[in-house]
Amino acid sequence: MAIKGQCTIDAKPYPFTFPLKHTALLVIDMQRDFLLKSGFGEIQGGNLEAVQASIVPTRKLLDACRNAGLAIFHTREGHVPDLADCPSSKLIRQGAAPNNSQHSLVIGDKGEMGRLLVRGEYGHDLVDELTPYPSEVVIDKPGKGSFWNTDIMHKLKARGITHLIVSGVTTECCFATSIREANDRGFECCGIEDATAGYNSDFKSQSLDMIHWSQGLFGFVAPLQPLLDALLPLTGTKPSGLTPPQTPPEWDGDLRITSLQAAYKSGLSPVTVAEAVYTKIEAYRESDPAVWIHLESKDDVIASARLLSSRFPDREKLPALFGIPFSIKDSIDISGLPTTTACPPLAHIPTASAPVYTKLIEGGGLFIGKTNLDQLATGLTGCRSPYGITHSVFHKDYISGGSSSGNAVSVGANLVSFSIATDTAGSGRVPSGLNGVVGYKPTRGLISFVGTTPACLSLDCIAIIAKNVEDARLVWQMVEGYDGNDPYAKPAIAFERHINSIGPQATAFKFGIPPQDVLEVCSPIYRKRFNEIVQRLQKMGGKLTRIDWTPFQKAGDLLYNGTFVSERLASLPDGWLEKNRNYLHPVILRIFEDVIKRRSTAVDAYRDLQAKALYTRQAEVVFAPTAAGVDVLVVPTTPTHWKIDEVLKDPIRLNSINGTFTHFGNVLDLCAVAVPAGRYDVSELSGVETDKGSLPFSITFLGGSRMDAEVLRIALQFQDSLHEGDGKGNRGYESHPF
Ligand code: TIU
């Protein structure tokens, strides 16, 4: 291993180098139907002995990759039970061959292991030796290639994968097709000779030769042993046969997901983490009693932690969020708990949980409590809740931001690892920026919004607040996915741009920023810091590119000055406002009354919808993959950091300024991630030399619809550049005093 984080192995046509963090093992179709007697493969005329010989080497490869911490993807070929995803050519061609005596059974027919190549049947599943672990990805594919009509490209990109180690059956069919498909999409692939097999030995060797022919037409081919040798030193686990440690490992309270995952793997108990979390929560209550609307009892959480330990006794096979403590905004339903949306007259006790919550629990997450928010998720300050005003974890006089105020504080104060919030006008990004944590708002419709109280339903979005970009990205992977019950869900499979896996293009990016006159809204220290960040991005290889700011400006204005605010009322029952005005927070009441006073008409609303479509199209041009287009837009997350007192005196105007760089995000169907970008002294903001302490600075990267993986990649690059050489990585919570 020459360069840190990279491996190089002997391969044809020349040595294959792969970055560990960006490499996945792809195990193709090691299904009973292809490997065992009476399966689909035998009907194909396959030599079963030949393919079965690949099982043991594939297991060795899988174990080595698991131990080295690589992402693991398995595929299974097969069809939905009514065969709606099976083209007639695939169904009929072989059986229709003249004098055919071999294909007496075709796809969907009942064989000895169930219906052939049909999902859910015994024969369709993977052989026992290669059963996936809970944290591994399984892709069900209807074709021979792994990319046709699947979301594998999306899932690989979402994990930052650029390099693939490929194994599985059969070499001449699905293995070769998948490598060719991956190659077209920009992946660097290396097929592993001993861990693939075909039904015809000549086909196997010729298929492998075709991959590396002509200086690597489709990729690389290598034997297994050099790869095992290269991965062995990276093995995180102890050699087997030793007595497990008798004392649990030391844990320093680091709640980053990746750190907790490593600690759990080596024996840390989730009960220890639950106890520590409650100690922190109690201590922080002194500083800020307004974080939680509902806190689970410590005993209940400890019981959940115990249950997790008994459900997952094997520490090698933990789900990704095993024992990871999280909080959730109190506008998101959890069965049996009140959802208040910080608006007591709207409180209800749901009988079903929001899918986003259910997925976290299924992934092993440890639920701690529901957090405070600006009433009806309307606001960007954290000063609009009957449950009290949260303050920034950095300073008691300064706002936490909102509306996901408690979410960001619970992460920023290190009470939980991550939090599930919402973001309509910036509610996930703004409080993250003001508390020194990461706030990621995926493209709308990628995470189900079902079971969440709407703020402005056609623009609402689930947001993820975490300690660093990689944690936010991991939580996204756990909770995203098409939900047919969400009318705004985006289709599961989308066009995905190719990736750049090697060369300078792998790290290069183009970025745009707001024009100088727009940046004038920022306080002097914010402008100074933003300019410094722009220089840093350029030093990292980012190319500052001129963009048309008009669609962002106009879309931002549309959100609050247009008719979209009326949509906030559309989700409430008729007459609700009249009945409940006395119970509303005075600022929220004022906003709603102003909306009513406008007497907007349907004509106004249609004009705004048309304007939204136009600006969205204009923004697509800004993010187009052309010479003039940019990969990301970079903005300061907020223009400044208000004091609580200032906001209380002028709540609507200052709130609106707070959203200058966030309002347009959902109107234009963008994705965005707010990332901490250092600190500054409070005195630099206030101008009062005697003011003590520091506050966080934050920038937001925005990208086009469904460009989440690209935006997160650049955000990660930026985050890493901030922590280069400090030996700590991004611990998140170290950046503030708690
Ligand atoms: N027929 C054949 O060789 N293979 C398949 O049909 N599927 C896979 O290769 N997985």
mmCIF file of all heavy atoms in Angstrom, residues 27-30 34-35 41 46-58 61 166-176 191-208 211:
data_model
loop_
_atom_site.group_PDB
_atom_site.id
_atom_site.type_symbol
_atom_site.label_atom_id
_atom_site.label_comp_id
_atom_site.label_asym_id
_atom_site.label_seq_id
_atom_site.Cartn_x
_atom_site.Cartn_y
_atom_site.Cartn_z
ATOM 1 N N VAL A 27 -21.026 -8.359 -5.470
ATOM 2 C CA VAL A 27 -21.153 -9.816 -5.594
ATOM 3 C C VAL A 27 -22.399 -10.088 -6.428
ATOM 4 O O VAL A 27 -23.525 -9.824 -5.999
ATOM 5 C CB VAL A 27 -21.290 -10.489 -4.204
ATOM 6 C CG1 VAL A 27 -21.260 -12.004 -4.355
ATOM 7 C CG2 VAL A 27 -20.187 -10.025 -3.256
ATOM 8 N N ILE A 28 -22.176 -10.606 -7.637
ATOM 9 C CA ILE A 28 -23.272 -10.717 -8.591
ATOM 10 C C ILE A 28 -23.992 -12.072 -8.476
ATOM 11 O O ILE A 28 -23.374 -13.133 -8.640
ATOM 12 C CB ILE A 28 -22.724 -10.612 -10.043
ATOM 13 C CG1 ILE A 28 -21.860 -9.362 -10.235
ATOM 14 C CG2 ILE A 28 -23.850 -10.723 -11.060
ATOM 15 C CD1 ILE A 28 -22.574 -8.135 -10.606
ATOM 16 N N ASP A 29 -25.262 -12.048 -8.185
ATOM 17 C CA ASP A 29 -26.209 -13.166 -8.410
ATOM 18 C C ASP A 29 -25.780 -14.521 -7.856
ATOM 19 O O ASP A 29 -25.950 -15.549 -8.533
ATOM 20 C CB ASP A 29 -26.487 -13.316 -9.920
ATOM 21 C CG ASP A 29 -27.162 -12.093 -10.507
ATOM 22 O OD1 ASP A 29 -27.412 -11.136 -9.757
ATOM 23 O OD2 ASP A 29 -27.427 -12.090 -11.729
ATOM 24 N N MET A 30 -25.197 -14.545 -6.653
ATOM 25 C CA MET A 30 -24.807 -15.848 -6.077
ATOM 26 C C MET A 30 -26.059 -16.500 -5.471
ATOM 27 O O MET A 30 -26.158 -16.771 -4.280
ATOM 28 C CB MET A 30 -23.691 -15.654 -5.046
ATOM 29 C CG MET A 30 -22.378 -15.165 -5.638
ATOM 30 S SD MET A 30 -21.636 -16.316 -6.812
ATOM 31 C CE MET A 30 -20.771 -17.424 -5.692
ATOM 32 N N PHE A 34 -28.933 -20.120 -9.540
ATOM 33 C CA PHE A 34 -27.819 -20.246 -10.485
ATOM 34 C C PHE A 34 -26.785 -21.273 -10.034
ATOM 35 O O PHE A 34 -25.996 -21.753 -10.841
ATOM 36 C CB PHE A 34 -27.123 -18.888 -10.682
ATOM 37 C CG PHE A 34 -27.984 -17.909 -11.416
ATOM 38 C CD1 PHE A 34 -28.387 -16.731 -10.812
ATOM 39 C CD2 PHE A 34 -28.420 -18.168 -12.708
ATOM 40 C CE1 PHE A 34 -29.209 -15.832 -11.477
ATOM 41 C CE2 PHE A 34 -29.240 -17.275 -13.382
ATOM 42 C CZ PHE A 34 -29.642 -16.108 -12.764
ATOM 43 N N LEU A 35 -26.773 -21.578 -8.732
ATOM 44 C CA LEU A 35 -25.662 -22.385 -8.206
ATOM 45 C C LEU A 35 -26.072 -23.801 -7.802
ATOM 46 O O LEU A 35 -25.220 -24.691 -7.732
ATOM 47 C CB LEU A 35 -25.049 -21.680 -6.989
ATOM 48 C CG LEU A 35 -24.376 -20.338 -7.303
ATOM 49 C CD1 LEU A 35 -24.038 -19.585 -6.025
ATOM 50 C CD2 LEU A 35 -23.105 -20.551 -8.117
ATOM 51 N N GLY A 41 -30.088 -22.079 -13.563
ATOM 52 C CA GLY A 41 -28.793 -22.277 -14.227
ATOM 53 C C GLY A 41 -28.672 -23.644 -14.848
ATOM 54 O O GLY A 41 -28.158 -23.784 -15.965
ATOM 55 N N GLY A 46 -26.104 -25.275 -17.691
ATOM 56 C CA GLY A 46 -24.908 -24.866 -16.974
ATOM 57 C C GLY A 46 -24.171 -25.997 -16.285
ATOM 58 O O GLY A 46 -24.769 -26.964 -15.828
ATOM 59 N N ASN A 47 -22.851 -25.832 -16.210
ATOM 60 C CA ASN A 47 -21.993 -26.757 -15.479
ATOM 61 C C ASN A 47 -21.996 -26.290 -14.016
ATOM 62 O O ASN A 47 -21.315 -25.333 -13.657
ATOM 63 C CB ASN A 47 -20.594 -26.691 -16.105
ATOM 64 C CG ASN A 47 -19.575 -27.488 -15.304
ATOM 65 O OD1 ASN A 47 -19.857 -27.950 -14.184
ATOM 66 N ND2 ASN A 47 -18.400 -27.631 -15.888
ATOM 67 N N LEU A 48 -22.767 -26.974 -13.187
ATOM 68 C CA LEU A 48 -22.946 -26.509 -11.812
ATOM 69 C C LEU A 48 -21.670 -26.625 -10.994
ATOM 70 O O LEU A 48 -21.389 -25.793 -10.134
ATOM 71 C CB LEU A 48 -24.079 -27.275 -11.125
ATOM 72 C CG LEU A 48 -25.499 -26.945 -11.588
ATOM 73 C CD1 LEU A 48 -26.519 -27.612 -10.688
ATOM 74 C CD2 LEU A 48 -25.753 -25.448 -11.622
ATOM 75 N N GLU A 49 -20.897 -27.688 -11.260
ATOM 76 C CA GLU A 49 -19.634 -27.856 -10.509
ATOM 77 C C GLU A 49 -18.744 -26.626 -10.692
ATOM 78 O O GLU A 49 -18.127 -26.143 -9.749
ATOM 79 C CB GLU A 49 -18.886 -29.073 -11.032
ATOM 80 C CG GLU A 49 -18.906 -30.239 -10.069
ATOM 81 C CD GLU A 49 -18.315 -31.476 -10.716
ATOM 82 O OE1 GLU A 49 -17.177 -31.389 -11.230
ATOM 83 O OE2 GLU A 49 -19.022 -32.495 -10.726
ATOM 84 N N ALA A 50 -18.690 -26.139 -11.927
ATOM 85 C CA ALA A 50 -17.828 -24.980 -12.218
ATOM 86 C C ALA A 50 -18.286 -23.759 -11.420
ATOM 87 O O ALA A 50 -17.468 -23.068 -10.803
ATOM 88 C CB ALA A 50 -17.843 -24.671 -13.712
ATOM 89 N N VAL A 51 -19.590 -23.514 -11.412
ATOM 90 C CA VAL A 51 -20.033 -22.303 -10.706
ATOM 91 C C VAL A 51 -19.950 -22.475 -9.193
ATOM 92 O O VAL A 51 -19.620 -21.533 -8.459
ATOM 93 C CB VAL A 51 -21.449 -21.832 -11.129
ATOM 94 C CG1 VAL A 51 -21.418 -21.177 -12.491
ATOM 95 C CG2 VAL A 51 -22.476 -22.936 -11.058
ATOM 96 N N GLN A 52 -20.192 -23.700 -8.731
ATOM 97 C CA GLN A 52 -20.114 -23.918 -7.276
ATOM 98 C C GLN A 52 -18.685 -23.698 -6.759
ATOM 99 O O GLN A 52 -18.494 -23.306 -5.605
ATOM 100 C CB GLN A 52 -20.602 -25.330 -6.921
ATOM 101 C CG GLN A 52 -22.127 -25.423 -6.990
ATOM 102 C CD GLN A 52 -22.655 -26.844 -6.947
ATOM 103 O OE1 GLN A 52 -21.896 -27.798 -6.814
ATOM 104 N NE2 GLN A 52 -23.963 -26.984 -7.073
ATOM 105 N N ALA A 53 -17.707 -23.905 -7.633
ATOM 106 C CA ALA A 53 -16.308 -23.707 -7.222
ATOM 107 C C ALA A 53 -16.036 -22.253 -6.846
ATOM 108 O O ALA A 53 -15.031 -21.936 -6.200
ATOM 109 C CB ALA A 53 -15.370 -24.143 -8.344
ATOM 110 N N SER A 54 -16.927 -21.357 -7.248
ATOM 111 C CA SER A 54 -16.676 -19.939 -6.936
ATOM 112 C C SER A 54 -17.175 -19.562 -5.538
ATOM 113 O O SER A 54 -16.874 -18.473 -5.052
ATOM 114 C CB SER A 54 -17.347 -19.049 -7.989
ATOM 115 O OG SER A 54 -18.752 -19.112 -7.851
ATOM 116 N N ILE A 55 -17.937 -20.460 -4.895
ATOM 117 C CA ILE A 55 -18.553 -20.061 -3.616
ATOM 118 C C ILE A 55 -17.492 -19.829 -2.537
ATOM 119 O O ILE A 55 -17.495 -18.785 -1.866
ATOM 120 C CB ILE A 55 -19.594 -21.117 -3.140
ATOM 121 C CG1 ILE A 55 -20.750 -21.193 -4.138
ATOM 122 C CG2 ILE A 55 -20.121 -20.757 -1.744
ATOM 123 C CD1 ILE A 55 -21.795 -22.264 -3.818
ATOM 124 N N VAL A 56 -16.562 -20.782 -2.378
ATOM 125 C CA VAL A 56 -15.569 -20.644 -1.296
ATOM 126 C C VAL A 56 -14.659 -19.418 -1.528
ATOM 127 O O VAL A 56 -14.489 -18.593 -0.619
ATOM 128 C CB VAL A 56 -14.775 -21.955 -1.118
ATOM 129 C CG1 VAL A 56 -13.575 -21.752 -0.197
ATOM 130 C CG2 VAL A 56 -15.708 -23.045 -0.561
ATOM 131 N N PRO A 57 -14.098 -19.244 -2.726
ATOM 132 C CA PRO A 57 -13.288 -18.021 -2.933
ATOM 133 C C PRO A 57 -14.096 -16.736 -2.748
ATOM 134 O O PRO A 57 -13.579 -15.741 -2.230
ATOM 135 C CB PRO A 57 -12.810 -18.146 -4.382
ATOM 136 C CG PRO A 57 -12.950 -19.585 -4.738
ATOM 137 C CD PRO A 57 -14.043 -20.159 -3.893
ATOM 138 N N THR A 58 -15.368 -16.771 -3.150
ATOM 139 C CA THR A 58 -16.179 -15.556 -2.985
ATOM 140 C C THR A 58 -16.375 -15.269 -1.503
ATOM 141 O O THR A 58 -16.348 -14.109 -1.073
ATOM 142 C CB THR A 58 -17.538 -15.695 -3.708
ATOM 143 O OG1 THR A 58 -17.275 -15.972 -5.081
ATOM 144 C CG2 THR A 58 -18.374 -14.436 -3.592
ATOM 145 N N LEU A 61 -13.285 -13.648 -0.270
ATOM 146 C CA LEU A 61 -13.249 -12.261 -0.738
ATOM 147 C C LEU A 61 -14.206 -11.394 0.093
ATOM 148 O O LEU A 61 -13.853 -10.293 0.534
ATOM 149 C CB LEU A 61 -13.658 -12.235 -2.219
ATOM 150 C CG LEU A 61 -13.855 -10.875 -2.866
ATOM 151 C CD1 LEU A 61 -12.553 -10.088 -2.907
ATOM 152 C CD2 LEU A 61 -14.409 -11.035 -4.295
ATOM 153 N N VAL A 166 -15.335 -6.781 -8.461
ATOM 154 C CA VAL A 166 -16.521 -7.493 -8.931
ATOM 155 C C VAL A 166 -16.295 -9.002 -8.901
ATOM 156 O O VAL A 166 -15.245 -9.494 -9.323
ATOM 157 C CB VAL A 166 -16.899 -7.037 -10.359
ATOM 158 C CG1 VAL A 166 -18.252 -7.607 -10.764
ATOM 159 C CG2 VAL A 166 -16.945 -5.508 -10.446
ATOM 160 N N SER A 167 -17.308 -9.708 -8.395
ATOM 161 C CA SER A 167 -17.250 -11.169 -8.349
ATOM 162 C C SER A 167 -18.634 -11.699 -8.685
ATOM 163 O O SER A 167 -19.571 -10.928 -8.890
ATOM 164 C CB SER A 167 -16.846 -11.615 -6.942
ATOM 165 O OG SER A 167 -17.879 -11.273 -6.039
ATOM 166 N N GLY A 168 -18.783 -13.019 -8.723
ATOM 167 C CA GLY A 168 -20.116 -13.598 -8.889
ATOM 168 C C GLY A 168 -20.298 -14.356 -10.184
ATOM 169 O O GLY A 168 -19.358 -14.555 -10.960
ATOM 170 N N VAL A 169 -21.546 -14.750 -10.399
ATOM 171 C CA VAL A 169 -21.852 -15.602 -11.554
ATOM 172 C C VAL A 169 -22.901 -14.941 -12.440
ATOM 173 O O VAL A 169 -23.697 -14.147 -11.961
ATOM 174 C CB VAL A 169 -22.370 -16.987 -11.090
ATOM 175 C CG1 VAL A 169 -21.274 -17.728 -10.348
ATOM 176 C CG2 VAL A 169 -23.640 -16.878 -10.253
ATOM 177 N N THR A 170 -22.925 -15.349 -13.731
ATOM 178 C CA THR A 170 -21.874 -16.097 -14.396
ATOM 179 C C THR A 170 -20.973 -15.109 -15.109
ATOM 180 O O THR A 170 -21.423 -14.038 -15.518
ATOM 181 C CB THR A 170 -22.454 -17.089 -15.431
ATOM 182 O OG1 THR A 170 -23.145 -16.351 -16.444
ATOM 183 C CG2 THR A 170 -23.388 -18.091 -14.795
ATOM 184 N N THR A 171 -19.724 -15.529 -15.274
ATOM 185 C CA THR A 171 -18.740 -14.599 -15.849
ATOM 186 C C THR A 171 -19.198 -14.073 -17.202
ATOM 187 O O THR A 171 -19.129 -12.865 -17.473
ATOM 188 C CB THR A 171 -17.384 -15.314 -16.012
ATOM 189 O OG1 THR A 171 -17.150 -16.122 -14.872
ATOM 190 C CG2 THR A 171 -16.255 -14.312 -16.175
ATOM 191 N N GLU A 172 -19.720 -14.994 -18.030
ATOM 192 C CA GLU A 172 -20.055 -14.597 -19.403
ATOM 193 C C GLU A 172 -21.349 -13.782 -19.475
ATOM 194 O O GLU A 172 -21.588 -13.091 -20.457
ATOM 195 C CB GLU A 172 -20.183 -15.848 -20.308
ATOM 196 C CG GLU A 172 -21.262 -16.852 -19.898
ATOM 197 C CD GLU A 172 -20.770 -17.915 -18.903
ATOM 198 O OE1 GLU A 172 -19.673 -17.731 -18.364
ATOM 199 O OE2 GLU A 172 -21.488 -18.900 -18.661
ATOM 200 N N CYS A 173 -22.153 -13.872 -18.438
ATOM 201 C CA CYS A 173 -23.487 -13.240 -18.508
ATOM 202 C C CYS A 173 -23.568 -12.012 -17.585
ATOM 203 O O CYS A 173 -23.159 -10.923 -17.953
ATOM 204 C CB CYS A 173 -24.534 -14.296 -18.180
ATOM 205 S SG CYS A 173 -26.224 -13.712 -18.341
ATOM 206 N N CYS A 174 -24.073 -12.193 -16.377
ATOM 207 C CA CYS A 174 -24.358 -11.028 -15.534
ATOM 208 C C CYS A 174 -23.098 -10.315 -15.048
ATOM 209 O O CYS A 174 -23.091 -9.093 -14.886
ATOM 210 C CB CYS A 174 -25.236 -11.446 -14.355
ATOM 211 S SG CYS A 174 -26.857 -11.992 -14.910
ATOM 212 N N PHE A 175 -22.044 -11.050 -14.780
ATOM 213 C CA PHE A 175 -20.770 -10.465 -14.339
ATOM 214 C C PHE A 175 -20.233 -9.538 -15.434
ATOM 215 O O PHE A 175 -19.942 -8.363 -15.196
ATOM 216 C CB PHE A 175 -19.813 -11.620 -14.016
ATOM 217 C CG PHE A 175 -18.393 -11.254 -13.726
ATOM 218 C CD1 PHE A 175 -17.968 -11.051 -12.417
ATOM 219 C CD2 PHE A 175 -17.451 -11.159 -14.745
ATOM 220 C CE1 PHE A 175 -16.646 -10.745 -12.136
ATOM 221 C CE2 PHE A 175 -16.129 -10.854 -14.471
ATOM 222 C CZ PHE A 175 -15.729 -10.650 -13.167
ATOM 223 N N ALA A 176 -20.148 -10.067 -16.663
ATOM 224 C CA ALA A 176 -19.579 -9.266 -17.758
ATOM 225 C C ALA A 176 -20.492 -8.087 -18.095
ATOM 226 O O ALA A 176 -20.016 -6.962 -18.297
ATOM 227 C CB ALA A 176 -19.376 -10.150 -18.987
ATOM 228 N N GLY A 191 -12.405 -7.233 -11.967
ATOM 229 C CA GLY A 191 -13.024 -8.547 -11.778
ATOM 230 C C GLY A 191 -12.027 -9.488 -11.115
ATOM 231 O O GLY A 191 -10.834 -9.462 -11.424
ATOM 232 N N ILE A 192 -12.521 -10.314 -10.201
ATOM 233 C CA ILE A 192 -11.636 -11.228 -9.463
ATOM 234 C C ILE A 192 -11.801 -12.646 -10.023
ATOM 235 O O ILE A 192 -12.862 -13.278 -9.870
ATOM 236 C CB ILE A 192 -11.943 -11.182 -7.948
ATOM 237 C CG1 ILE A 192 -11.832 -9.735 -7.433
ATOM 238 C CG2 ILE A 192 -11.000 -12.112 -7.170
ATOM 239 C CD1 ILE A 192 -10.486 -9.052 -7.659
ATOM 240 N N GLU A 193 -10.708 -13.117 -10.643
ATOM 241 C CA GLU A 193 -10.768 -14.369 -11.427
ATOM 242 C C GLU A 193 -11.341 -15.550 -10.647
ATOM 243 O O GLU A 193 -12.228 -16.257 -11.134
ATOM 244 C CB GLU A 193 -9.354 -14.757 -11.885
ATOM 245 C CG GLU A 193 -8.798 -13.886 -12.985
ATOM 246 C CD GLU A 193 -7.283 -14.031 -13.139
ATOM 247 O OE1 GLU A 193 -6.682 -14.927 -12.483
ATOM 248 O OE2 GLU A 193 -6.719 -13.240 -13.902
ATOM 249 N N ASP A 194 -10.813 -15.786 -9.425
ATOM 250 C CA ASP A 194 -11.221 -16.994 -8.696
ATOM 251 C C ASP A 194 -12.624 -16.858 -8.117
ATOM 252 O O ASP A 194 -13.223 -17.860 -7.719
ATOM 253 C CB ASP A 194 -10.277 -17.295 -7.519
ATOM 254 C CG ASP A 194 -8.850 -16.908 -7.791
ATOM 255 O OD1 ASP A 194 -8.630 -15.767 -8.273
ATOM 256 O OD2 ASP A 194 -7.961 -17.717 -7.520
ATOM 257 N N ALA A 195 -13.111 -15.630 -8.021
ATOM 258 C CA ALA A 195 -14.410 -15.414 -7.387
ATOM 259 C C ALA A 195 -15.499 -15.150 -8.418
ATOM 260 O O ALA A 195 -16.518 -14.536 -8.131
ATOM 261 C CB ALA A 195 -14.328 -14.260 -6.391
ATOM 262 N N THR A 196 -15.247 -15.598 -9.636
ATOM 263 C CA THR A 196 -16.312 -15.591 -10.633
ATOM 264 C C THR A 196 -16.241 -16.919 -11.367
ATOM 265 O O THR A 196 -15.182 -17.568 -11.384
ATOM 266 C CB THR A 196 -16.200 -14.412 -11.622
ATOM 267 O OG1 THR A 196 -17.277 -14.493 -12.560
ATOM 268 C CG2 THR A 196 -14.884 -14.397 -12.364
ATOM 269 N N ALA A 197 -17.339 -17.347 -11.924
ATOM 270 C CA ALA A 197 -17.331 -18.604 -12.665
ATOM 271 C C ALA A 197 -18.441 -18.577 -13.687
ATOM 272 O O ALA A 197 -19.443 -17.869 -13.530
ATOM 273 C CB ALA A 197 -17.526 -19.787 -11.717
ATOM 274 N N GLY A 198 -18.219 -19.361 -14.751
ATOM 275 C CA GLY A 198 -19.223 -19.428 -15.806
ATOM 276 C C GLY A 198 -19.714 -20.847 -15.983
ATOM 277 O O GLY A 198 -19.182 -21.786 -15.381
ATOM 278 N N TYR A 199 -20.722 -20.966 -16.815
ATOM 279 C CA TYR A 199 -21.252 -22.302 -17.091
ATOM 280 C C TYR A 199 -20.420 -23.004 -18.161
ATOM 281 O O TYR A 199 -20.648 -24.159 -18.473
ATOM 282 C CB TYR A 199 -22.713 -22.190 -17.554
ATOM 283 C CG TYR A 199 -23.668 -21.799 -16.435
ATOM 284 C CD1 TYR A 199 -24.676 -20.876 -16.641
ATOM 285 C CD2 TYR A 199 -23.560 -22.388 -15.180
ATOM 286 C CE1 TYR A 199 -25.562 -20.542 -15.628
ATOM 287 C CE2 TYR A 199 -24.436 -22.048 -14.160
ATOM 288 C CZ TYR A 199 -25.425 -21.125 -14.385
ATOM 289 O OH TYR A 199 -26.289 -20.795 -13.376
ATOM 290 N N ASN A 200 -19.454 -22.277 -18.720
ATOM 291 C CA ASN A 200 -18.649 -22.804 -19.823
ATOM 292 C C ASN A 200 -17.241 -22.237 -19.624
ATOM 293 O O ASN A 200 -17.057 -21.024 -19.633
ATOM 294 C CB ASN A 200 -19.309 -22.312 -21.130
ATOM 295 C CG ASN A 200 -18.526 -22.676 -22.362
ATOM 296 O OD1 ASN A 200 -17.304 -22.515 -22.389
ATOM 297 N ND2 ASN A 200 -19.215 -23.136 -23.381
ATOM 298 N N SER A 201 -16.256 -23.120 -19.410
ATOM 299 C CA SER A 201 -14.939 -22.632 -18.975
ATOM 300 C C SER A 201 -14.263 -21.756 -20.030
ATOM 301 O O SER A 201 -13.541 -20.822 -19.705
ATOM 302 C CB SER A 201 -14.045 -23.800 -18.559
ATOM 303 O OG SER A 201 -13.896 -24.660 -19.665
ATOM 304 N N ASP A 202 -14.508 -22.062 -21.316
ATOM 305 C CA ASP A 202 -13.906 -21.203 -22.355
ATOM 306 C C ASP A 202 -14.507 -19.797 -22.292
ATOM 307 O O ASP A 202 -13.809 -18.800 -22.429
ATOM 308 C CB ASP A 202 -14.181 -21.771 -23.757
ATOM 309 C CG ASP A 202 -13.358 -23.022 -23.998
ATOM 310 O OD1 ASP A 202 -12.413 -23.263 -23.202
ATOM 311 O OD2 ASP A 202 -13.683 -23.761 -24.943
ATOM 312 N N PHE A 203 -15.825 -19.760 -22.066
ATOM 313 C CA PHE A 203 -16.471 -18.450 -21.977
ATOM 314 C C PHE A 203 -15.863 -17.644 -20.838
ATOM 315 O O PHE A 203 -15.661 -16.443 -20.943
ATOM 316 C CB PHE A 203 -17.976 -18.596 -21.710
ATOM 317 C CG PHE A 203 -18.802 -19.062 -22.874
ATOM 318 C CD1 PHE A 203 -20.156 -19.320 -22.703
ATOM 319 C CD2 PHE A 203 -18.237 -19.223 -24.130
ATOM 320 C CE1 PHE A 203 -20.939 -19.740 -23.762
ATOM 321 C CE2 PHE A 203 -19.020 -19.658 -25.199
ATOM 322 C CZ PHE A 203 -20.372 -19.922 -25.014
ATOM 323 N N LYS A 204 -15.585 -18.319 -19.716
ATOM 324 C CA LYS A 204 -15.048 -17.581 -18.561
ATOM 325 C C LYS A 204 -13.741 -16.905 -18.940
ATOM 326 O O LYS A 204 -13.584 -15.692 -18.753
ATOM 327 C CB LYS A 204 -14.853 -18.508 -17.356
ATOM 328 C CG LYS A 204 -14.109 -17.803 -16.221
ATOM 329 C CD LYS A 204 -13.988 -18.593 -14.944
ATOM 330 C CE LYS A 204 -13.046 -17.844 -13.988
ATOM 331 N NZ LYS A 204 -12.906 -18.447 -12.682
ATOM 332 N N SER A 205 -12.797 -17.681 -19.483
ATOM 333 C CA SER A 205 -11.493 -17.062 -19.728
ATOM 334 C C SER A 205 -11.604 -15.996 -20.817
ATOM 335 O O SER A 205 -10.976 -14.942 -20.743
ATOM 336 C CB SER A 205 -10.445 -18.123 -20.053
ATOM 337 O OG SER A 205 -10.828 -18.797 -21.219
ATOM 338 N N GLN A 206 -12.455 -16.258 -21.808
ATOM 339 C CA GLN A 206 -12.576 -15.258 -22.874
ATOM 340 C C GLN A 206 -13.281 -13.988 -22.373
ATOM 341 O O GLN A 206 -12.914 -12.873 -22.745
ATOM 342 C CB GLN A 206 -13.323 -15.860 -24.071
ATOM 343 C CG GLN A 206 -12.423 -16.829 -24.838
ATOM 344 C CD GLN A 206 -13.203 -17.832 -25.674
ATOM 345 O OE1 GLN A 206 -14.418 -17.775 -25.766
ATOM 346 N NE2 GLN A 206 -12.475 -18.763 -26.279
ATOM 347 N N SER A 207 -14.264 -14.177 -21.518
ATOM 348 C CA SER A 207 -14.959 -12.993 -20.972
ATOM 349 C C SER A 207 -13.987 -12.140 -20.163
ATOM 350 O O SER A 207 -14.006 -10.910 -20.247
ATOM 351 C CB SER A 207 -16.118 -13.409 -20.074
ATOM 352 O OG SER A 207 -17.071 -14.120 -20.803
ATOM 353 N N LEU A 208 -13.146 -12.808 -19.374
ATOM 354 C CA LEU A 208 -12.177 -12.047 -18.569
ATOM 355 C C LEU A 208 -11.166 -11.351 -19.475
ATOM 356 O O LEU A 208 -10.807 -10.186 -19.247
ATOM 357 C CB LEU A 208 -11.479 -12.976 -17.566
ATOM 358 C CG LEU A 208 -12.375 -13.512 -16.440
ATOM 359 C CD1 LEU A 208 -11.626 -14.538 -15.583
ATOM 360 C CD2 LEU A 208 -12.892 -12.384 -15.551
ATOM 361 N N ILE A 211 -12.415 -8.149 -20.943
ATOM 362 C CA ILE A 211 -12.490 -7.001 -20.031
ATOM 363 C C ILE A 211 -11.207 -6.187 -20.090
ATOM 364 O O ILE A 211 -11.232 -4.963 -20.236
ATOM 365 C CB ILE A 211 -12.784 -7.479 -18.589
ATOM 366 C CG1 ILE A 211 -14.224 -8.001 -18.503
ATOM 367 C CG2 ILE A 211 -12.552 -6.346 -17.563
ATOM 368 C CD1 ILE A 211 -14.554 -8.722 -17.209
#
